[in-house]
Amino acid sequence: MNPVLRVLTCAAILAVVATWAPGAPPPAASAAAPSPPAATAPSASGAQPAKAPEKAGEAPAAEKLIATVKVVEGTVESRPAVGQPWVAVKVGDQLSEGMDIRTGFRARCVLEMNKNTLQVDPLAVVRIGELRRQGDTVRTRILLKQGNTESNVEKGGTKNDFAIVTPTATLSVRGTRGVEAGFFPAFGGNYGLTGDGLTNLANSLTGARTNLSPGQTTNDNATPPALIVAQQYQPVNIAPQAFSPGELDANARTHTSLPTPPLGGSSGGTPTLPPTNVTLPPPPPPPPPRPRDDYGGYDYGH
């Protein structure tokens, strides 16, 4: 080592030793270090310390609610989850979020959920998909797997975000009474409103939407209610080869299935009676009988 460097190193060591008082901690350990936070022990009563208040702007935590069984008729069963056994439901039972309900033949039940009611008709299977309160809004999702339901959603007080979800569509409700929803895998869905208010149906595949006013109905395709009525009452396309002229004229007129009167006028007009001094031609002779086959029925091949 360089003699000059060796002298400087020895001088530095002597200076440190001279300033170190006996009993004092070494200089390296005397530096102040932040101590770890002390663990908060529970109080003698066992109560946990109060939680810190929520920060401004954060959404309040969701609170799960329960549905109370008010009416049971016939065989009604429930299960907590898929794969669990079905048990009989009785009045007063409390059903939580995620539970399934099924009704038997000629059976029904009525559930009360935060002042809203849901009636489950016979041969139905439903699930309480969501039932929770977050802030001043109660969110309810009824998953209708099969059958018919009728629900009433109250207005005022707590805000309701209520919807009935089928495999093909979602029916949203905001303060409405007499909401009808039905779904069967072989026939599809049918939705209507018999009470006051307004509902909205959205198709799950296409996103098509339509509103329902009192007395209106729609289907899975969210067909406008006016078009539903037109499809129900539009005239039937009748093949002219299958009916006589009188039958065709009767079917073309509205609200009647009677044949046209003798020498009748145009459709919807007043029929013209024949004059008394005119002799009508005789009716045509009846057709000859059809030949029969060996089994006693008509032989349509001739």
Side-chain angles (χ1 to χ4, degrees):
M1 179 181 293
N2 191 337
V4 177
L5 184 58
R6 183 182 301 174
V7 172
L8 293 176
T9 301
C10 295
I13 294 175
L14 292 175
V16 172
V17 173
T19 58
W20 179 16
S30 61
S35 57
T40 305
S43 60
S45 60
Q48 297 293 332
K51 297 182 180 180
E54 297 178 353
K55 297 180 181 179
E58 288 185 355
E63 173 192 359
K64 292 187 177 182
L65 305 177
I66 57 173
T68 304
V69 180
K70 292 296 185 180
V71 177
V72 173
E73 296 179 2
T75 302
V76 181
E77 298 175 319
S78 69
R79 65 179 180 182
V82 176
Q84 299 296 320
W86 293 90
V87 296
V89 172
K90 60 183 183 297
V91 175
D93 285 353
Q94 295 182 344
L95 309 178
S96 59
E97 180 179 294
M99 296 189 68
D100 291 333
I101 307 166
R102 69 179 182 184
T103 54
F105 185 68
R106 295 182 180 178
R108 73 181 184 101
C109 70
V110 178
L111 307 180
E112 184 180 65
M113 301 169 291
N114 190 52
K115 299 183 179 180
N116 303 326
T117 59
L118 173 72
Q119 175 175 297
V120 185
D121 291 340
L123 302 177
V125 179
V126 302
R127 173 178 294 177
I128 305 176
E130 291 185 43
L131 183 57
R132 57 183 63 184
R133 178 188 287 111
Q134 189 166 9
D136 59 349
T137 302
V138 173
R139 179 179 172 89
T140 307
R141 292 293 181 271
I142 302 299
L143 308 184
L144 177 57
K145 301 180 180 180
Q146 174 182 298
N148 296 309
T149 63
E150 182 175 348
S151 54
N152 296 323
V153 180
E154 297 295 336
K155 298 180 180 179
T158 305
K159 297 180 181 179
N160 283 293
D161 181 8
F162 189 99
I164 298 177
V165 183
T166 68
T168 53
T170 299
L171 183 65
S172 301
V173 182
R174 295 282 198 288
T176 307
R177 302 183 65 84
V179 181
E180 296 181 345
F183 177 83
F184 288 91
F187 304 102
N190 188 32
Y191 314 89
L193 179 60
T194 60
D196 57 342
L198 182 70
T199 61
N200 180 270
L201 182 83
N203 183 275
S204 303
L205 180 62
T206 63
R209 292 179 174 271
T210 188
N211 292 327
L212 293 178
S213 298
Q216 294 181 337
T217 61
T218 187
N219 53 23
D220 285 330
N221 298 325
T223 304
L227 186 57
I228 293 288
V229 176
Q231 292 174 351
Q232 292 176 347
Y233 294 98
Q234 66 183 359
V236 180
N237 185 14
I238 302 175
Q241 293 82 8
F243 296 89
S244 67
E247 292 172 329
L248 284 174
D249 187 59
N251 284 283
R253 288 180 290 147
T254 308
H255 304 303
T256 182
S257 59
L258 299 176
T260 306
L263 299 180
S266 60
S267 299
T270 302
T272 303
L273 297 178
T276 57
N277 57 353
V278 176
T279 303
L280 297 177
R290 299 176 180 175
R292 295 178 177 271
D293 57 17
D294 296 338
Y295 299 97
Y298 289 119
D299 185 3
Y300 291 97
H302 291 78

